[in-house]
């Protein structure tokens, strides 16, 4: 629909810009009705229909905001206080995301409203972001232990790569144009790209 989602972290507001009309919609803040806590959307991702996924870093849920009906539905992770952080939407419209304090990566299927979780093999990994490559493998990085993790989603097997230098990984990216695919990340501690 050409509209752009943004968040105001200061007030936990969700907004949508219509660039063609030059107008803003303020959806306001959202509260988890079960806990009465404010939903702190650290990461937001639009799906293929421009509905919004809201990753609640304050707790353990994903908000699914219908852009047309303007209704929010929450889906909870099985891992308590998992603190969903950042992620990406795949070609099947599923949200892949990091569970920062849950030490896991996860996938939410909006059709079934089910979350599948994969605990990472190395403690204190604190995954920050997740991307999917053309083979269906999920990639993440740790801002705590300088490791890259690749999950073969078909088998559930992880490959753990220790980087040679401290990096403090945040956003991750996969180049699908190479064979094999190439993983890229910025090194916050090294002023470089890895």
């Amino acid at each position: 629909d050409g509209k752009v989602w943004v968040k105001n972290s200061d007030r936990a507001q969700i907004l949508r810009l219509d660039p063609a009309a030059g107008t803003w919609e303020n959806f306001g803040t959202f509260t988890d009705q079960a806990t009465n806590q404010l939903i702190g959307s650290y990461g937001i991702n639009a799906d293929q229909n421009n509905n919004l996924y809201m990753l609640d870093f304050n707790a353990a849920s994903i908000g699914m905001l219908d852009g047309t009906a303007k209704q929010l539905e929450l889906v909870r992770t099985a891992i308590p206080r998992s603190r969903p952080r950042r992620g990406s939407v795949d070609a099947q419209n599923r949200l892949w995301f990091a569970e920062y304090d849950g030490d896991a990566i996860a996938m939410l299927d909006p059709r079934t409203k089910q979350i599948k979780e994969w605990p990472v093999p190395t403690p204190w990994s604190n995954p920050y972001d997740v991307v999917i490559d053309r083979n269906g493998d999920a990639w993440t990085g740790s801002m705590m232990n300088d490791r890259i993790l690749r999950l073969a989603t078909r088998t559930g097997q992880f490959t753990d790569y220790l980087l040679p230098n401290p990096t403090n990984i945040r956003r991750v990216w996969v180049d699908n144009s190479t064979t094999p695919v190439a993983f890229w990340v910025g090194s916050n501690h090294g002023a470089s790209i890895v």
Side-chain angles (χ1 to χ4, degrees):
D1 64 6
K3 296 178 182 176
V4 180
W5 293 98
V6 297
K7 66 176 182 145
N8 176 348
S9 296
D10 182 47
R11 296 186 181 109
Q13 294 173 319
I14 300 296
L15 302 110
R16 187 168 59 179
L17 169 65
D18 183 341
T23 58
W24 287 90
E25 284 180 274
N26 186 342
F27 286 71
T29 59
F30 293 91
T31 303
D32 183 335
Q33 299 301 317
T35 64
N36 207 31
Q37 288 184 317
L38 190 67
I39 297 173
S41 299
Y42 188 88
I44 59 173
N45 296 87
D47 73 7
Q48 294 163 4
N49 302 310
N50 209 17
N51 297 308
L52 190 67
Y53 289 116
M54 299 163 50
L55 289 80
D56 186 5
F57 193 59
N58 291 341
S61 61
I62 304 296
M64 298 182 352
L65 179 58
D66 184 308
T68 304
K70 301 181 181 179
Q71 296 294 315
L72 179 71
E73 182 175 357
L74 291 180
V75 181
R76 299 193 192 290
T77 64
I79 298 171
R81 299 282 309 152
S82 62
R83 299 184 79 196
R85 195 154 202 170
R86 294 204 190 263
S88 57
V89 177
D90 70 11
Q92 298 175 51
N93 219 23
R94 301 175 302 184
L95 175 69
W96 291 84
F97 61 96
E99 292 184 90
Y100 184 75
D101 278 357
D103 254 351
I105 61 174
M107 181 268 297
L108 167 61
D109 187 332
R111 290 170 294 162
T112 63
K113 298 186 174 85
Q114 298 292 312
I115 294 175
K116 183 169 183 175
E117 296 168 305
W118 292 268
V120 298
T122 306
W124 300 102
S125 287
N126 299 93
Y128 193 96
D129 190 11
V130 178
V131 294
I132 300 299
D133 70 17
R134 70 170 184 253
N135 305 311
D137 291 346
W139 293 79
T140 190
S142 168
M143 66 180 287
M144 303 301 258
N145 65 15
D146 303 311
R147 292 177 184 270
I148 305 299
L149 294 166
R150 179 176 51 88
L151 169 66
T153 59
R154 289 174 188 83
T155 64
Q157 293 295 115
F158 277 95
T159 303
D160 193 331
Y161 306 92
L162 178 61
L163 295 177
N165 298 306
T167 54
N168 189 303
I169 297 166
R170 303 298 172 99
R171 300 300 294 219
V172 296
W173 187 71
V174 172
D175 181 356
N176 283 307
S177 70
T178 63
T179 301
V181 299
F183 178 87
W184 291 90
V185 68
S187 172
N188 286 346
H189 289 175
S192 61
I193 298 173
V194 181

